[in-house]
Amino acid sequence: MSQVDTLDTDRLTAYLEEHVPGFKGPMSAEKFEGGQSNPTFRIKAASGEYVLRRQPPGKLLKSAHAVDREFRVMNALRDSDVPVPRMYHLCEDRDVIGSMFYVMEFCQGRIFWDAAIPEVDNAARTAMYTEMNRVLAALHDVDLDAVGLTDYGKPGSYFERQLGRWTKQYRASEINPIQAMEDLMAWLEQNQPADDGQVSLVHGDYRLDNMMWHPTEPKVIAVLDWELSTLGHPLADLAYQCMQLRMPPEGGNLSGLQGKDRHALGIPTEQEYVAMYCERRGIDRIDHWVFYLAFSFFRLAAIAQGVAKRAQEGNASSKRAGWAAQVVEPLAAMAMKIVREGA
């Protein structure tokens, strides 16, 4: 097994017994499938079950795999209307297992990978999409002062900074030239709207399979995978989720609703979903929706390029990381189609 897939359980047991209240070995660790970025393990110990999430070993892109930020934001949200697991410990000493990691509560529930949620009936699907909308609005309404996150990112100029960041990340992990990405980056640069002053906590990867659902109810019990979270523009999260729902059903790790009859499935249309969000947050209208959508495609393509580069170098978290190299060009092409057709 690769270093990505294994942990030194003897050393880790001794460390956790010292640093996590009530933790008691012996323990075993099993890596979860999925999640390309930060390897995540289910820990079974004499004292109960936990989840450990670590940075991958090896050379990392600057500011990527920020498990310390994930720990901080979930810990800050513990008493908010945004459901998160309980945080137990952040270890910044890379000598313990070879990289920084944190330990959190193991939440017993369901994860759904297919955006059409075939495992449930129409009424549950409607309720689940309504619940995702509610949680997203609650996230963007979090009082940053009250939870101590006013310094969690730079306020303002979010899209300008993100464009700069992800363009650099893309260039750093570029393998072959992709014309659609060049066209998309040029369009985004030329069509960036003026900053409108909106600032909120943003998740950065808000989607169905980054949520733990109640074992039987259409209720989110934990929003997971906060690696890309920061202070930013709330509509970036909304556009990102809508972007994913526009993607093909068989999108590798990214399942969408393209070509599906949403009405027959009990799933709201994009217009209905956006309207529901706007009503919850008291928004009259959304300008520049095409830009927000196109930016979401660009950012996801840049992330996928990073995964592809790590796979090429042997540092990717999942054996399925090969999907990433194949989706960069189609994502950029879909964005340019939206640009041409105006959403």
Side-chain angles (χ1 to χ4, degrees):
M1 293 180 87
S2 74
Q3 194 184 349
V4 174
D5 294 323
T6 58
L7 295 172
D8 180 344
T9 50
D10 290 342
R11 184 164 188 185
L12 186 58
T13 301
Y15 178 86
L16 294 180
E17 284 183 339
E18 189 180 338
H19 292 90
V20 174
F23 188 92
K24 188 162 173 44
M27 62 159 275
S28 63
E30 178 188 357
K31 185 171 175 287
F32 288 105
E33 272 304 314
Q36 304 305 321
S37 187
N38 293 318
T40 307
F41 297 81
R42 181 174 182 171
I43 303 292
K44 292 183 179 176
S47 52
E49 294 193 42
Y50 308 80
V51 171
L52 180 147
R53 193 158 155 88
R54 68 177 294 186
Q55 290 182 318
K59 186 182 174 189
L60 305 177
L61 287 171
K62 187 184 172 191
S63 80
H65 314 286
V67 295
D68 49 340
R69 284 176 62 82
E70 280 195 324
F71 180 89
R72 180 186 170 190
V73 71
M74 285 190 279
N75 203 34
L77 292 172
R78 63 190 177 274
D79 297 321
S80 74
D81 289 334
V82 182
V84 287
R86 186 176 168 203
M87 297 292 108
Y88 292 128
H89 180 70
L90 171 68
C91 174
E92 297 180 273
D93 179 355
R94 287 167 171 79
D95 290 338
V96 178
I97 62 168
S99 61
M100 187 161 46
F101 70 91
Y102 65 87
V103 176
M104 63 180 169
E105 171 190 13
F106 174 78
C107 297
Q108 190 70 54
R110 300 173 292 168
I111 290 182
F112 298 97
W113 297 93
D114 185 334
I117 325 180
E119 300 89 341
V120 303
D121 62 20
N122 278 20
R125 272 191 284 272
T126 303
M128 288 172 77
Y129 271 85
T130 303
E131 170 73 347
M132 279 195 284
N133 196 283
R134 180 195 71 76
V135 173
L136 186 61
L139 167 63
H140 296 154
D141 282 337
V142 165
D143 182 331
L144 299 172
D145 272 325
V147 299
L149 289 175
T150 50
D151 62 345
Y152 191 63
K154 295 176 185 169
S157 308
Y158 174 73
F159 289 105
E160 183 184 345
R161 286 183 289 103
Q162 285 279 301
L163 266 176
R165 174 189 172 185
W166 290 108
T167 299
K168 279 186 196 136
Q169 297 274 50
Y170 175 73
R171 295 292 183 212
S173 52
E174 204 170 1
I175 297 171
N176 299 305
I178 297 172
Q179 188 57 47
M181 276 296 275
E182 301 301 326
D183 295 344
L184 178 55
M185 287 188 284
W187 185 88
L188 289 167
E189 204 62 55
Q190 290 158 15
N191 291 274
Q192 195 179 143
D195 184 48
D196 63 5
Q198 289 191 63
V199 178
S200 74
L201 180 61
V202 293
H203 181 275
D205 198 10
Y206 191 82
R207 63 191 206 215
L208 175 73
D209 56 279
N210 277 337
M211 291 166 214
M212 181 67 71
W213 294 83
H214 186 280
T216 58
E217 298 171 26
K219 179 183 175 187
V220 176
I221 58 170
V223 179
L224 306 170
D225 201 351
W226 291 83
E227 185 201 343
L228 297 171
S229 63
T230 187
L231 299 190
H233 198 293
L235 295 180
D237 271 345
L238 181 64
Y240 180 82
Q241 191 180 22
C242 290
M243 174 225 26
Q244 294 216 299
L245 301 179
R246 288 169 169 256
M247 292 169 66
E250 303 303 324
N253 281 27
L254 305 160
S255 161
L257 293 169
Q258 187 184 96
K260 296 270 186 181
D261 184 341
R262 293 196 184 200
H263 180 72
L265 291 169
I267 295 173
T269 64
E270 180 174 298
Q271 290 80 4
E272 288 167 342
Y273 193 81
V274 170
M276 205 189 305
Y277 172 88
C278 288
E279 187 178 347
R280 280 198 164 91
R281 300 206 62 237
I283 298 169
D284 292 334
R285 53 176 286 179
I286 294 179
D287 296 318
H288 313 297
W289 184 240
V290 169
F291 176 87
Y292 299 145
L293 281 172
F295 168 78
S296 296
F297 276 97
F298 158 69
R299 198 188 66 147
L300 184 58
I303 292 168
Q305 187 63 59
V307 175
K309 183 73 168 177
R310 287 201 309 282
Q312 188 185 57
E313 294 172 347
N315 286 330
S317 167
S318 170
K319 299 178 191 72
R320 295 181 301 190
W323 68 269
Q326 292 149 33
V327 302
V328 180
E329 187 163 16
L331 284 169
M334 285 178 77
M336 290 310 296
K337 185 170 187 281
I338 289 168
V339 165
R340 287 192 300 272
E341 296 175 0

